[in-house]
Amino acid sequence: MTSRHRPSENTVPSTADGANTLIPSRRTVVKAAAAGAVLAAPLAAAPPASAAGVAPAFLHGVASGDPLPDGVLLWTRVTPTPESIPGSGAGPDTEVSWVVATDKAFTNIVTKGSTTATAASDHTVKADIRGLSPATDYWFRFSAGPTDSPAARTRTAPAADAAVAGLRFGVVSCSNWEAGHFSSYRHLAARGDLDAWLHLGDYIYEYGTGEYGTRDTVVRPHAPAHEILTLADYRTRHGRYKTDPDLQALHAAAPVVAIWDDHEIANDTWSGGAGNHTEGAEGTWAARQADAKRAYFEWMPVRPAIAGTTYRRLRFGKLADLSLLDLRSFRSQQVALGDGEVDDPERTLTGRAQLDWLKSGLASSDTTWRLVGNSVMISPFAIGSIPAELLGPLAELLGLPREGLALNTDQWDGYTDDRRELLAHLRANAVRNTVFLTGDIHMAWANDVPHNAATYPLSASAATEFVVTSVTSDNLDDILKVPEGTVSAIAAPFIRAANRHVHWVDTDRHGYGVLDITADRTQMDYYVVSDRTEPDATSKWARSYRTRSGTQRVQRVYAPV
């Protein structure tokens, strides 16, 4: 068992339980030059250098996810031969065993088993372990032939009826491989105090090399070099991401709870297509979506929940439950602003079944806190009188018309009937302590979620929302190619003036959040990294906001937990 240190507050840790479209909302047509494609092609085709030696090998790390009081989902990918690279469809069936222990030395083994990795699942392996003790640290590893994988830590959730003093989660979103290194993951892994970490979407990006904002500098090229369209392509891209040492370190440090947003499939995904999909020229949407989702579930330690989507609910004792949303599989197509369709009750972001499931779960919850893993921002957003030189880049980042109309139709703002119904349900059922945890927008926000933004703060707040910035994906200073912080200094006051429920917005920096939960309050500590392009980037605390129990409002805190 690892020791678990909580810095300043006397909050005993616990765990979990179970039951973007941003930026170029339009695809950049800067296709990689022929020379660039030639340079990147070998990266997609050739096995990593470390695969040239003895096989089998564990080149993509190990991971765990979706912790329950009595179990957790374990994951790895085995490379049985040097030719068996992700997406290749090559390689023999390989027996892979796993072992779970209460100590890193594996002297006290509590369970073990084996399964067969095959080319049909891209040689990925999942083991859904049960029979474990609640709120307990465990160590696990896999073996194939003479080769052991790295050892990794995981942690089960508290018992459903347990009185839990505290929980701590890392919170991240939007990690573009080409734009930089994943230092945020490394810093979260190094903490050693996480019960789990949440990835709120855009774990991978689908674009080809050089097609997605990177300040015109590709820090490290994708594999494959082209935009991913097929099952083999999505598998290859997931495989490239899983070679990142910082990502491997975080997966080995704590279980992940993940949902997808659009880039796991294609930019501006909706139920029947995507902004970044051309029917016919890029195959059928149905085939592409099915291939992307299949690869996601192969490569991620996520349990498919309802109808093969990512919406599901986890419980963390009596302290909190976490409703995880899939806001891509059921949504109506995004609409242009100004045509009134954003208010059409026939259009939906969630789909009827998911919205009913969410409403029922929030109303019947008996936990102190109701967390909602939410891929796109639910708080309303109006641009207001932002200076002309910032309006274009902000519109690009938010997917807005450059004329500066007031909504982002890819967020809840584009599906206002769903939002009205949900917030009215919270009011009618006196549902308190609902906290939305959001990614997608490549900026950090701390928001109240008002019933009526026009009359706020004189009217009531239904919930609160903490939005984390991107791990690496472009934010405003990257789009404008100006020094970090200069845009926020100008834009943030205008944004807050037009949106009185917004307590804070940082438009410029990259990083992560740490969510700390006690019975009295939920606090988000925002951290930023020094330089996304540097593999050894440092991290520092930026701001903190909390929601006190019963208030449904955000309050600034002047130190991290």
Side-chain angles (χ1 to χ4, degrees):
M1 303 266 286
T2 56
S3 62
R4 298 169 57 71
H5 175 62
R6 299 274 188 177
S8 51
E9 294 195 348
N10 295 322
T11 54
V12 180
S14 296
T15 301
D17 160 333
N20 195 290
T21 37
L22 270 18
I23 321 203
S25 200
R26 8 165 115 77
R27 52 206 289 202
T28 324
V29 211
V30 191
K31 290 279 182 188
V38 169
L39 191 63
L43 295 170
S50 55
V54 178
F58 294 96
L59 305 176
H60 301 90
V62 298
S64 66
D66 282 4
L68 305 176
D70 68 339
V72 69
L73 189 66
L74 307 183
W75 177 94
T76 194
R77 200 265 180 182
V78 65
T79 303
T81 66
E83 296 75 30
S84 305
I85 61 173
S88 67
D93 292 358
T94 304
E95 183 178 6
V96 178
S97 60
W98 44 263
V99 61
V100 180
T102 57
D103 62 313
K104 191 175 183 179
F106 292 92
T107 57
N108 183 27
I109 294 173
V110 295
T111 186
K112 57 185 177 180
S114 66
T115 188
T116 301
T118 70
S121 60
D122 208 22
H123 289 99
T124 60
V125 172
K126 285 185 177 180
D128 199 346
I129 309 301
R130 299 300 172 94
L132 303 179
S133 299
T136 302
D137 287 355
Y138 288 96
W139 291 84
F140 67 96
R141 68 185 175 204
F142 294 87
S143 300
T147 309
D148 290 339
S149 77
R153 170 196 172 267
T154 190
R155 183 169 173 83
T156 53
D161 60 352
V164 179
L167 292 164
R168 188 168 292 169
F169 300 134
V171 189
V172 291
S173 75
C174 303
S175 41
N176 178 13
W177 175 278
E178 290 201 328
H181 296 276
F182 296 158
S183 300
S184 291
Y185 295 157
R186 172 168 46 86
H187 290 293
L188 279 171
R191 294 180 62 97
D193 64 354
L194 300 181
D195 295 296
W197 56 287
L198 314 182
H199 201 295
L200 297 172
D202 297 340
Y203 183 99
I204 66 166
Y205 279 77
E206 84 280 13
Y207 291 98
T209 289
E211 292 182 5
Y212 198 74
T214 59
R215 283 198 188 232
D216 300 325
T217 301
V218 172
V219 177
R220 45 184 187 168
H222 280 315
H226 57 266
E227 182 179 325
I228 54 177
L229 300 170
T230 67
L231 178 59
D233 290 343
Y234 282 96
R235 285 169 164 175
T236 302
R237 186 63 58 84
H238 274 283
R240 171 51 58 93
Y241 269 70
K242 284 291 202 301
T243 63
D244 182 85
D246 296 331
L247 179 56
Q248 288 191 8
L250 183 52
H251 273 304
V256 66
V257 177
I259 53 174
W260 58 46
D261 194 22
D262 55 340
H263 290 292
E264 286 88 349
I265 307 171
N267 185 51
D268 282 355
T269 291
W270 59 285
S271 60
N276 190 21
H277 180 76
T278 304
E279 193 78 12
E282 295 180 325
T284 67
W285 172 247
R288 183 177 185 179
Q289 181 179 226
D291 287 344
K293 289 183 176 182
R294 176 176 172 179
Y296 182 88
F297 283 118
E298 288 173 345
W299 279 86
M300 295 292 290
V302 169
R303 291 187 186 89
I306 301 164
T309 76
T310 57
Y311 81 83
R312 61 203 190 280
R313 184 171 292 117
L314 300 175
R315 182 182 174 99
F316 299 78
K318 291 182 177 179
L319 184 57
D321 55 29
L322 172 61
S323 300
L324 298 151
L325 303 185
D326 178 349
L327 299 183
R328 295 295 168 180
S329 295
F330 312 103
R331 70 157 70 198
S332 306
Q333 186 172 11
Q334 299 89 340
V335 298
L337 289 170
D339 57 14
E341 290 186 18
V342 295
D343 297 322
D344 185 349
E346 298 302 313
R347 298 180 65 257
T348 181
L349 177 66
T350 60
R352 183 75 258 163
Q354 183 177 199
L355 185 57
D356 287 345
W357 168 87
L358 176 61
K359 289 164 55 182
S360 173
L362 292 173
S364 63
S365 173
D366 62 351
T367 59
T368 303
W369 294 96
R370 295 149 192 83
L371 311 178
V372 182
N374 173 55
S375 60
V376 296
M377 195 161 81
I378 190 169
S379 301
F381 174 75
I383 282 187
S385 54
I386 286 181
E389 66 272 17
L390 295 181
L391 183 56
L394 185 60
E396 180 183 3
L397 190 65
L398 296 173
L400 295 166
R402 289 183 179 271
E403 304 79 60
L405 294 174
L407 302 175
N408 177 352
T409 64
D410 191 59
Q411 299 180 166
W412 288 78
D413 272 344
Y415 306 85
T416 60
D417 196 69
D418 276 1
R419 182 169 62 196
R420 276 195 300 270
E421 181 177 336
L422 177 59
L423 299 187
H425 176 78
L426 297 182
R427 185 202 296 263
N429 290 275
V431 178
R432 308 173 79 186
N433 292 356
T434 302
V435 179
F436 291 88
L437 305 171
T438 306
D440 176 73
I441 204 169
H442 305 192
M443 295 181 273
W445 302 64
N447 304 326
D448 298 335
V449 183
H451 285 285
N452 186 342
T455 59
Y456 200 73
L458 300 178
S459 57
S461 176
T464 54
E465 180 176 36
F466 297 126
V467 183
V468 293
T469 187
S470 61
V471 172
T472 58
S473 302
D474 276 11
N475 39 36
L476 278 186
D477 66 309
D478 299 312
I479 292 174
L480 288 170
K481 300 179 179 61
V482 296
E484 182 182 274
T486 55
V487 181
S488 273
I490 300 171
F494 287 94
I495 292 172
R496 292 194 60 206
N499 301 271
R500 288 172 292 180
H501 55 282
V502 174
H503 290 252
W504 178 64
V505 56
D506 181 343
T507 66
D508 291 3
R509 294 183 287 184
H510 303 281
Y512 57 94
V514 176
L515 183 74
D516 193 273
I517 308 166
T518 67
D520 294 332
R521 57 98 186 105
T522 295
Q523 177 168 324
M524 181 71 84
D525 297 331
Y526 296 88
Y527 291 84
V528 295
V529 295
S530 58
D531 187 339
R532 64 176 176 168
T533 68
E534 294 296 331
D536 58 350
T538 58
S539 168
K540 68 178 181 180
W541 170 73
R543 281 250 185 155
S544 291
Y545 287 86
R546 69 184 174 192
T547 300
R548 287 192 178 275
S549 179
T551 66
Q552 283 67 252
R553 293 180 187 253
V554 163
Q555 178 184 57
R556 186 175 178 184
V557 183
Y558 291 87
V561 174

